[in-house]
Amino acid sequence: MRRPTLEAVATRAGVSKSTVSRVVNGEPTVASDIRDLVMRAVNELGYVPNPAARSLVTRRTDSIAVIVSDPPTGLVSDDPMFSTVVRAASREFEAAGKQVVLMLAGSDDARLRARQFVAARHVDAVMLVSMHGADPLPAALATTGVPLVSHGRPAFWEGAPWVDNDNVGGAAQAVRHLLERGRRRIATISGPLDMSAAQDRLSAYREVLSETGRRSIVAIGDFTRISGAEAMAQLLEDDPALDAVFAANDLMAIGAMRALRRAGRRVPDDVAVVGFDDIEAALYTDPPLTTVRSPMGEQAAASARLLLGLLRGEDAAPVILPTQLVIRESS
Amino acid sequence: MRRPTLEAVATRAGVSKSTVSRVVNGEPTVASDIRDLVMRAVNELGYVPNPAARSLVTRRTDSIAVIVSDPPTGLVSDDPMFSTVVRAASREFEAAGKQVVLMLAGSDDARLRARQFVAARHVDAVMLVSMHGADPLPAALATTGVPLVSHGRPAFWEGAPWVDNDNVGGAAQAVRHLLERGRRRIATISGPLDMSAAQDRLSAYREVLSETGRRSIVAIGDFTRISGAEAMAQLLEDDPALDAVFAANDLMAIGAMRALRRAGRRVPDDVAVVGFDDIEAALYTDPPLTTVRSPMGEQAAASARLLLGLLRGEDAAPVILPTQLVIRESS
DNA sequence: CGGTTTTGCGGGAGCGCTCCCTGAAGTGTG
DNA sequence: CACACTTCAGGGAGCGCTCCCGCAAAACCG
């Protein structure tokens, strides 16, 4: 009825618990005939170690929390970032023999639970994903002493290594590209300003425009399609003569293109559009979207590896991955 | 240095371990003044229960594995299904105080690890997501005796309750809609036939067409955009005169629309397109996509609730959620 | 007011594992 | 051949918690 224990295996194999433990944990100091004896007993009984008992004594759990800031509204549901990042990180962790515990830090309640969870050492380490600047969770987690890494540089907080892509360089490249195409009234749709990616992309946009003596035309979105459409409508109202728009991510660029279509503007003839991220959907818009490729999967994998390094006692410095302009037909 | 234990709290509060345990677990049989005393000690010491010790004796882990079949190729990365389903299920589980352990069952190795993981009772229950028919994992998991539920009816296997949407009804509705619009040569792009959703949608398509004496024109995709585009190209080659296509999901419909555009066909003038799922992107295609809304988030939440019910000892029957045709401008 | 039940707390065994320590063989050396 | 040294297996404490049992005091009853 009850699952076999170490002791049962030991009895069956005619050896001690210690020996079975050694075999199960792959220690080399066991004679090979005894090892075989034990392995046979393990297979016959279908023995699987009890992880709770193990981690009670080792103080390791071999699992890692991936904490994703989740909007309380269920609206922004089919977020390509989530899928790409979580999958890439999971693969990396699983390859290292770590379990992934996924936590959504949407509400204050969820954040509290996450804090407690980590404090209870239910996990050995934490990877934070897309944290907003105002979020108190990173700092709270840092006090638990658990190794921490952030996917994306956290805004307003410098307590853990992070991996980000070159938001400033990528955005600058995008805007310069529009200038080279002869566009003169270039607007931008920014992401939420409590996120560092949005801050960086916006300030790079401003920088490049002010270098060339042009003025900024800015609307703020929240990285969702719908917000991109709304921001675009606002921009057209503010400056009907604009001839280009740089959206801080592809989702908003897609929304912007719909808004432009509805307003009777042709892309790229009347208004050029450039996005950021190069999600798969950017290939399927009409026209296909010019965008800045940010290696989100790579970034997530790098974050995961950084964290695994920390766990091995290595120390870790922030990493910035390069981006690349992908020119398609929307500009 | 070391984290405070139950015993430390007990000493501090001047009570026994048992009493502290009772307070921490919210048992009502403790006098309120003693409860306050204990709570104060808990807060002063920053005590957090050790989950490993707890689950060693209770034989519960309060965590649930969500196992998602993951293609080994990292190509199909920004899958809206993944994001929606994982988020919705997570929210449901977290609300019930359960932790979510995410596992990707992409490779045989990963499947083996998942099996071992569940056999070790690292989790109390398992939710399977988008399992393919050929996958041996569900049956393997069933032998562990862990409560199991499947998001989507598994093909070729009847071992656990599941929640699905009305694939047959939805697909039939879509095809009838195309007929009502006067379309006469209606093709379909099916999903991979080892998944029940693909099977059901295809057979409903065939059913409706044969009822009206028309022939089927079928191409097979794998639920990705690119496969939709390829399948569409194939269909145009097979039957250049087709005037409508029903894609078994929106992602493939989006790919199909691109292929149609490239082939110089107008949507819906030359070819009407209907998708399935109603992902958010369906609103942003040009023209906006007619599709069958399947409540993926609801379905995931329902699966989660079903599993939580099993865990409480309730028994569970399969659930089928209704779908609804959403008519936009692509048909 | 004596006896019985109820209430509330403490004692302590035991969950299944790891890892330190001990000791018995086996190996090498002068 | 005596001795030190290495190799490899067993014994057993202890990780932090829950939960059963027991007991004292309070509450209830006729």
Side-chain angles (χ1 to χ4, degrees), chain B residues 15-16 18-19 22 30-31 34 59:
Chain B
V15 296
S16 74
S18 312
T19 301
R22 278 186 276 260
V30 181
I34 293 207
R59 294 160 197 290

Side-chain angles (χ1 to χ4, degrees), chain B residues 141-280:
Chain B
L141 290 177
T143 65
T144 62
V146 167
L148 206 62
V149 81
S150 176
H151 174 270
R153 179 171 60 81
F156 314 123
W157 183 72
E158 296 286 340
W162 42 265
V163 178
D164 213 329
N165 51 53
D166 185 9
N167 291 309
V168 171
Q173 230 181 329
V175 178
R176 283 203 199 97
H177 161 74
L178 288 169
L179 286 169
E180 282 161 17
R181 282 283 202 262
R183 305 290 168 161
R184 290 299 168 251
R185 299 176 86 108
I186 302 173
T188 192
I189 302 174
S190 170
L193 291 180
D194 59 354
M195 296 185 74
S196 67
Q199 292 168 3
D200 290 354
R201 292 170 195 184
L202 177 60
S203 59
Y205 158 88
R206 286 206 154 107
E207 181 80 12
V208 172
L209 284 197
S210 78
E211 275 172 13
T212 57
R214 302 181 188 286
R215 75 185 179 86
S216 301
I217 315 167
V218 179
I220 310 282
D222 62 5
F223 280 152
T224 64
R225 272 176 280 241
I226 180 73
S227 78
E230 288 162 358
M232 191 69 243
Q234 181 65 48
L235 288 173
L236 286 174
E237 203 169 300
D238 293 354
D239 185 348
L242 61 82
D243 59 6
V245 61
F246 164 58
N249 76 346
D250 288 348
L251 246 29
M252 294 196 298
I254 289 169
M257 283 175 75
R258 188 181 65 161
L260 287 167
R261 206 155 54 225
R262 293 205 167 167
R265 313 293 171 101
R266 289 164 306 162
V267 175
D269 312 70
D270 300 327
V271 179
V273 178
V274 176
F276 203 113
D277 284 347
D278 194 23
I279 62 177
E280 201 181 335

Side-chain angles (χ1 to χ4, degrees), chain B residues 27-44:
Chain B
E27 282 175 39
T29 68
V30 181
S32 63
D33 52 340
I34 293 207
R35 177 185 307 275
D36 294 345
L37 205 61
V38 171
M39 285 310 293
R40 193 173 313 130
V42 165
N43 291 326
E44 283 168 1

Side-chain angles (χ1 to χ4, degrees), chain A residues 63-132:
Chain A
S63 56
I64 289 174
V66 173
I67 304 185
V68 183
S69 89
D70 188 53
T73 61
L75 291 176
V76 221
S77 48
D78 68 339
D79 172 7
M81 168 113 176
F82 180 86
S83 169
T84 307
V85 167
V86 170
R87 279 187 135 109
S90 282
R91 270 196 277 262
E92 208 68 36
F93 287 132
E94 291 191 4
K98 306 292 180 186
Q99 298 310 323
V100 173
V101 178
L102 183 71
M103 310 196 76
L104 304 180
S107 60
D108 282 346
D109 182 55
R111 266 185 286 273
L112 190 65
R113 282 171 38 81
R115 169 73 171 73
Q116 284 291 98
F117 188 73
V118 172
R121 289 293 190 283
H122 218 306
V123 289
D124 298 339
V126 175
M127 171 167 160
L128 296 168
V129 178
S130 77
M131 282 295 148
H132 291 249

Side-chain angles (χ1 to χ4, degrees), chain A residues 14-328:
Chain A
V15 297
S16 74
K17 281 170 26 177
S18 313
T19 301
V20 177
S21 173
R22 277 186 278 261
V23 171
V24 168
N25 292 293
E27 282 176 39
T29 67
V30 181
S32 62
D33 52 340
I34 293 207
R35 178 186 307 276
D36 293 345
L37 205 62
V38 171
M39 285 310 293
R40 191 173 315 127
V42 165
N43 290 327
E44 283 168 2
L45 295 176
Y47 170 73
V48 184
N50 180 321
R54 176 177 280 171
S55 74
L56 178 57
V57 36
T58 60
R59 296 163 194 291
R60 283 182 296 101
T61 61
D62 290 329
S63 56
I64 289 174
V66 173
I67 304 185
V68 183
S69 89
D70 188 53
T73 61
L75 291 176
V76 221
S77 48
D78 68 339
D79 172 7
M81 168 113 176
F82 180 86
S83 169
T84 307
V85 167
V86 170
R87 279 187 135 109
S90 282
R91 270 196 277 262
E92 208 68 36
F93 287 132
E94 291 191 4
K98 306 292 180 186
Q99 298 310 323
V100 173
V101 178
L102 183 71
M103 310 196 76
L104 304 180
S107 60
D108 282 346
D109 182 55
R111 266 185 286 273
L112 190 65
R113 282 171 38 81
R115 169 73 171 73
Q116 284 291 98
F117 188 73
V118 172
R121 289 293 190 283
H122 218 306
V123 289
D124 298 339
V126 175
M127 171 167 160
L128 296 168
V129 178
S130 77
M131 282 295 148
H132 291 249
D135 199 320
L137 188 58
L141 291 177
T143 65
T144 62
V146 166
L148 205 62
V149 82
S150 176
H151 174 271
R153 179 172 60 82
F156 315 122
W157 183 72
E158 295 287 340
W162 42 265
V163 178
D164 213 329
N165 51 52
D166 185 8
N167 291 309
V168 171
Q173 230 180 329
V175 178
R176 282 201 201 98
H177 161 74
L178 288 169
L179 286 169
E180 282 161 16
R181 282 284 202 261
R183 305 291 167 160
R184 290 298 167 253
R185 296 176 87 109
I186 303 173
T188 193
I189 301 175
S190 169
L193 292 179
D194 60 354
M195 296 186 75
S196 67
Q199 293 168 3
D200 290 355
R201 292 171 194 182
L202 177 60
S203 60
Y205 158 88
R206 286 205 153 110
E207 181 81 10
V208 173
L209 284 196
S210 76
E211 274 171 13
T212 58
R214 302 182 188 287
R215 74 183 179 86
S216 301
I217 314 168
V218 179
I220 310 283
D222 63 5
F223 280 152
T224 63
R225 273 176 279 243
I226 178 73
S227 78
E230 286 163 359
M232 191 69 242
Q234 181 65 48
L235 287 173
L236 285 173
E237 202 168 300
D238 294 353
D239 186 348
L242 60 83
D243 60 7
V245 61
F246 164 58
N249 76 346
D250 288 349
L251 247 27
M252 293 195 298
I254 288 168
M257 282 174 74
R258 187 181 67 162
L260 287 167
R261 205 155 55 225
R262 295 206 166 167
R265 313 295 170 102
R266 290 164 305 162
V267 175
D269 312 71
D270 300 326
V271 179
V273 178
V274 177
F276 202 113
D277 284 345
D278 195 22
I279 62 177
E280 201 181 336
L283 258 174
Y284 292 82
T285 55
D286 182 25
L289 184 66
T290 294
T291 185
V292 179
R293 176 172 301 156
S294 65
M296 280 197 291
E298 265 312 301
Q299 189 189 340
S303 303
R305 282 192 296 267
L306 202 66
L307 191 51
L308 291 167
L310 278 178
L311 237 28
R312 284 190 301 267
E314 305 166 10
D315 48 14
V319 175
I320 296 180
L321 300 173
T323 55
Q324 184 196 349
L325 185 67
V326 180
I327 299 172
R328 297 206 181 94

